Amino acid sequence: MCIRDSYNSNYPPYNIRRVNENDYKIEIALAGYSRDDIELELKENTLTVRNKQKEKVVNEEGNGVIHKGISTRQFERSFTISEDIKVKNAELLNGLLNIDLERIIPEEKKARLIDIK
């Protein structure tokens, strides 16, 4: 299993978890973003998470915001995944983007017992 972060920033923070032998999860902290703000792209062996470009709001106070502490800056984070990893699902829940990955092992690469004659 190979997942490698190919972007050199600390934002947004993320975890990569092994759920079981063939299932993995990437968790990305995205407080302040809705699912309409996020783009998830799989191209060749690169999984990219980025936010969509928004119009800049000049006067935050006009929106009722007195202090802006939750970042909604532009970001792009890319992960290189191996060819045997497939993206199963992605869900944004409570400010956490969960991307479920599954390792698909072709029949010819699976361990098997050989009959002895």
Side-chain angles (χ1 to χ4, degrees):
M1 169 35 207
C2 175
I3 300 176
R4 186 174 61 237
D5 178 16
S6 61
Y7 192 71
N8 217 4
S9 169
N10 293 329
Y11 186 81
Y14 68 95
N15 295 327
I16 299 175
R17 290 192 312 116
R18 178 182 223 148
V19 177
N20 58 44
E21 187 176 338
N22 292 318
D23 292 314
Y24 302 86
K25 184 180 291 277
I26 299 174
E27 303 167 324
I28 304 173
L30 295 174
Y33 293 94
S34 73
R35 68 177 181 197
D36 294 332
D37 298 333
I38 306 298
E39 241 176 26
L40 190 60
E41 177 184 42
L42 180 61
K43 185 176 182 182
E44 296 175 7
N45 289 349
T46 303
L47 177 66
T48 303
V49 179
R50 69 176 72 88
N51 66 325
K52 297 177 186 176
Q53 186 71 15
K54 284 184 168 183
E55 290 182 24
K56 299 228 182 227
V57 178
V58 177
N59 184 3
E60 294 282 350
E61 285 188 32
N63 293 334
V65 176
I66 297 169
H67 170 76
K68 183 160 180 62
I70 299 174
S71 176
T72 54
R73 62 186 172 192
Q74 285 297 115
F75 71 86
E76 181 173 301
R77 181 165 299 276
S78 295
F79 301 90
T80 302
I81 59 176
S82 62
E83 290 183 14
D84 60 348
I85 300 292
K86 303 299 175 207
V87 178
K88 291 185 350 182
N89 187 31
E91 179 182 30
L92 183 64
L93 183 63
N94 297 329
L96 199 62
L97 177 63
N98 293 292
I99 304 168
D100 297 320
L101 307 170
E102 181 180 15
R103 183 172 168 222
I104 307 291
I105 303 172
E107 275 307 311
E108 64 271 7
K109 290 188 178 182
K110 288 184 180 178
R112 58 188 168 96
L113 294 174
I114 308 298
D115 289 336
I116 300 173
K117 296 182 183 180

